[in-house]
Amino acid sequence: MAEHMPVDKTFKLFIGGAFPRSESGRTFQLHSADGKLLANAAKASRKDLREAVKAARGAQAGWAGRTAYNRGQVLYRVAEVMESRKAEFTSVLREMGQTARTARSEVDRSIDRWVWYAGWADKVHQVLGTVNPVAGPYFNFTFPEPTGVVVVASPDDPPLLGLLSRLAPVIVSGNTAVVATGGAAALAAVTLAEVLATSDVPGGVVNILTGDKAELLPWALGHMDVNSVDLTGAPDGLADDAVAAAADNVKRIVRADPAGASPHMIGDFLEMKTVWHPIGR
Amino acid sequence: MTASPAFLPTTGGGPVRTTPVDAVALEARAAALCTRSIKTTSKRAALHTTIRCIDLTTLEGTDTPGKVASLCQKAIKPDPSDPTVPSVAAVCVYPEMVEHAVEATTGTGVAVASVAGAFPAGMSAPAVRVADIVDAVGRGAGEIDIVLNRSAFLSGDLGRAHDEIAAAKDACGASHLKVILETGELGSYDQVRRASMLAMAAGADFIKTSTGKIPKAATHPMILNMAEAIRDYADQTGVVVGLKGAGGIRTSKQAWHHLVIVGETLGSAWLTPERFRLGASSLLNDVLMQLQKLDTGRYSGPDYVTVD
């Protein structure tokens, strides 16, 4: 019997639930920490970003329209699939130069982080929503709504925990996300894409672009159909006027601790709606 | 394939032949033409041409005079903030809405087209269909879109299909007649080519792909097929017939691929609203978003065009 010939994985983008190559046909090389060539990954262009935003916009109303409980269940399901792929995530982090021990620990903490945010799905409204005391015959209350389409610049370090810690608070409330990732951290993102594609997350809720964040982010910041950009993982030297362009459609610009966890990090991607309801007698 | 029938044009002259279609070559050529890229310097001209050729359409049971009035305002000034953006060619409505559309567009250069003849199936008595056309013309429609009698055509009664179009042409008077073939229901490229020749011989001023009411609609090979039929007809009779693509055209890219196909097949003389139309509703917003991208260098979004 012939010897098995290994089938290497092609590293592609993740847009609208599908795995396309970049429309530009470009690739970039992914290297392990010891310099070994791991793969040629797709290098996303501004047009791929445009398509990803379109997919995210298309999926947003349906995702936000699900019950908070259901969104939480979908995220739990992602954690289940990650749990069964722990070995793969660990080996990805090992390729990036982590020791077996730290790699295992980061994978465990990443799954824990994701589950922790999944639990917030049907609790964040109670914590961040308020009933406001007002001087008048009104019942006045404020409740959070998702802001819309969020572009997330994924942190390079920690590669997996950073990605999950920034992505989970975006989508748990009903936003949809376009993740921009580059360098070796793209390995973790591509592996996550396969998890998302095989769990119950609807296509378009999370889109992943690998390539050069410095190239993609100015287009995201200028894009009029993007509601928020998380610059936590943005590279240094992003021009001030590129960030200022975000003001044209009043995007929320977020910068946070790349590995932090807080319900207020969910709040960063929420809009607060206040309702004055007359009280009759 | 059975021998193609030859049709006698109502405008006089000898019978016109129908050229058999090589389906593989047709699809290959359409696919090749769709790889043509429009360079940045030509994009604005392509987008403006697209707008000038649009029949801005609303054909819903829920149409109201108010909705038609706002559609007409959009047809006249697609982008009120940019006076260089041209008006569309026409608005296309149901007969019941024609007067409201005429009222809103008089003096603006935007024509009013009405579907008629028991659109979209056409399955009413011939006299009823003619009366429907006369009614729409009487309400002021300058262009009439009717459907081919597919029932007669597909059962081989080509004479009846032909004569009904000729009768419709008479009923139109001075108004232009567009004949919808509903290509998705005809079964093959050959059938569409035959129906195209039949409709042109019967006196159609335009032949049109689809009603927009069934999923299979204005595909690129189908537009190419009908453009070639028009070229054949012009070669044989010297009569110029227009082409209208409708149904499923939603993006600027689709639209300018249609422009490329028509331009390459029939020549740039066809890239005017007098000879080429695109029936669409959501296409216009996509074109406006592309124009905004050209102006600002940034991607736009649906928040920056009207909700129709």
Side-chain angles (χ1 to χ4, degrees):
Chain A
M1 195 172 144
E3 206 175 306
H4 171 67
M5 191 176 77
V7 181
D8 288 338
K9 190 191 298 178
T10 309
F11 287 76
K12 293 191 279 191
L13 311 176
F14 183 53
I15 299 175
F19 290 92
R21 291 178 168 82
S22 170
E23 62 77 36
S24 64
R26 301 180 306 172
T27 57
F28 68 107
Q29 295 190 331
L30 285 175
H31 294 278
S32 65
D34 55 10
K36 188 176 62 145
L37 175 65
L38 293 173
N40 291 304
K43 187 176 182 190
S45 70
R46 64 180 171 86
K47 291 188 181 175
D48 294 314
L49 175 86
R50 177 192 66 188
E51 294 308 307
V53 170
K54 205 181 277 177
R57 176 59 65 197
Q60 203 268 324
W63 180 239
R66 293 188 179 218
T67 63
Y69 171 76
N70 182 249
R71 276 198 305 276
Q73 292 298 304
V74 169
L75 296 199
Y76 280 126
R77 172 77 186 142
V78 172
E80 287 173 25
V81 178
M82 284 182 72
E83 191 75 34
S84 67
R85 290 196 184 215
K86 259 163 93 166
E88 189 181 354
F89 280 107
T90 308
S91 84
V92 161
L93 295 182
R94 296 271 286 140
E95 299 275 19
M96 290 180 214
Q98 294 190 7
T99 63
R101 188 191 171 88
T102 55
R104 269 200 308 275
S105 152
E106 184 176 336
V107 173
D108 284 345
R109 285 166 63 214
S110 299
I111 299 173
D112 290 348
R113 177 63 46 82
W114 191 269
V115 169
W116 186 80
Y117 272 116
W120 275 106
D122 54 4
K123 299 168 191 72
V124 71
H125 299 78
Q126 297 90 309
V127 175
L128 298 183
T130 57
V131 176
N132 311 311
V134 289
Y138 296 97
F139 179 42
N140 183 286
F141 53 101
T142 299
F143 58 96
E145 291 184 341
T147 188
V149 172
V150 182
V151 174
V152 178
S154 180
D156 294 334
D157 187 44
L160 184 63
L161 181 62
L163 168 63
L164 295 184
S165 298
R166 297 315 300 154
L167 178 60
V170 169
I171 63 170
V172 69
S173 66
N175 296 300
T176 51
V178 175
V179 175
T181 177
L187 274 174
V190 171
T191 310
L192 179 70
E194 291 177 355
V195 167
L196 296 169
T198 51
S199 52
D200 294 330
V201 182
V205 169
V206 180
N207 305 275
I208 294 177
L209 303 176
T210 55
D212 181 357
K213 285 186 277 187
E215 176 193 344
L216 294 172
L217 285 175
W219 288 100
L221 288 160
H223 198 310
M224 298 298 275
D225 205 24
V226 171
N227 301 101
S228 175
V229 180
D230 177 9
L231 290 177
T232 300
D236 295 335
L238 198 63
D240 287 345
D241 56 346
V243 180
D248 270 7
N249 70 335
V250 216
K251 283 184 194 68
R252 288 178 179 278
I253 296 297
V254 178
R255 289 187 176 88
D257 172 3
S262 158
H264 295 288
M265 289 181 168
I266 304 174
D268 288 342
F269 304 100
L270 293 172
E271 306 294 333
M272 293 299 173
K273 181 184 272 186
T274 296
V275 175
W276 295 68
H277 194 291
I279 302 170
R281 246 178 218 286
Chain B
M1 201 193 91
T2 53
S4 280
F7 302 108
L8 268 178
T10 50
T11 48
V16 288
R17 282 168 289 101
T18 306
T19 314
V21 183
D22 177 343
V24 174
L26 181 82
E27 286 179 0
R29 178 152 173 79
L33 290 173
C34 290
T35 60
R36 190 78 57 86
S37 70
I38 308 288
K39 299 300 174 198
T40 314
T41 45
S42 314
K43 246 176 209 169
R44 190 179 303 273
L47 292 168
H48 281 188
T49 304
T50 301
I51 293 177
R52 276 200 305 273
C53 290
I54 286 178
D55 279 1
L56 194 61
T57 303
T58 183
L59 296 171
E60 304 293 337
T62 51
D63 288 348
T64 59
K67 189 179 165 197
V68 169
S70 65
L71 183 85
C72 290
Q73 290 314 311
K74 180 148 182 172
I76 297 162
K77 279 197 171 61
D79 183 352
S81 65
D82 181 356
T84 66
V85 174
S87 301
V88 306
V91 289
C92 183
V93 294
Y94 271 123
E96 187 74 351
M97 293 293 133
V98 167
E99 283 143 331
H100 306 292
V102 169
E103 190 185 332
T105 57
T106 302
T108 63
V110 174
V112 175
S114 171
V115 295
F119 178 92
M123 299 295 272
S124 296
V128 174
R129 276 178 276 150
V130 167
D132 195 14
I133 295 167
V134 171
D135 170 63
V137 172
R139 289 169 187 261
E143 304 176 1
I144 299 292
D145 291 28
I146 63 158
V147 288
L148 168 75
N149 187 336
R150 279 96 71 202
S151 169
F153 179 83
L154 291 173
S155 55
D157 195 349
L158 304 186
R160 185 151 67 92
H162 175 281
D163 293 349
E164 286 182 4
I165 294 171
K169 174 68 182 165
D170 283 344
C172 280
S175 297
H176 277 239
L177 177 67
K178 303 187 202 126
V179 177
I180 302 165
L181 307 181
E182 196 67 304
T183 54
E185 291 182 350
L186 295 186
S188 71
Y189 293 124
D190 271 315
Q191 288 279 53
V192 170
R193 184 69 71 95
R194 209 170 289 148
S196 301
M197 298 311 268
L198 179 145
M200 288 187 282
D205 296 304
F206 265 76
I207 52 174
K208 172 175 167 185
T209 56
S210 323
T211 58
K213 297 294 182 194
I214 64 166
K216 261 169 84 183
T219 63
H220 291 118
M222 209 49 100
I223 286 283
L224 176 58
N225 188 17
M226 289 170 64
E228 288 179 351
I230 289 171
R231 187 178 59 191
D232 271 7
Y233 193 78
D235 284 349
Q236 295 180 53
T237 65
V239 175
V240 167
V241 177
L243 176 60
K244 177 171 172 183
I249 307 170
R250 295 194 183 86
T251 66
S252 306
K253 201 174 231 179
Q254 279 174 306
W256 68 46
H257 286 153
H258 284 315
L259 294 181
V260 168
I261 289 172
V262 170
E264 289 290 331
T265 310
L266 292 165
S268 49
W270 250 268
L271 298 181
T272 67
E274 287 75 36
R275 297 192 188 179
F276 180 64
R277 296 286 177 86
L278 289 161
S281 38
S282 56
L283 169 65
L284 183 54
N285 274 347
D286 190 69
V287 174
L288 293 178
M289 284 191 274
Q290 298 296 325
L291 284 170
Q292 288 172 8
K293 160 73 169 57
L294 280 183
D295 289 336
T296 64
R298 293 174 190 165
Y299 289 119
S300 186
D303 285 353
Y304 302 93
V305 290
T306 58
V307 177
D308 298 327

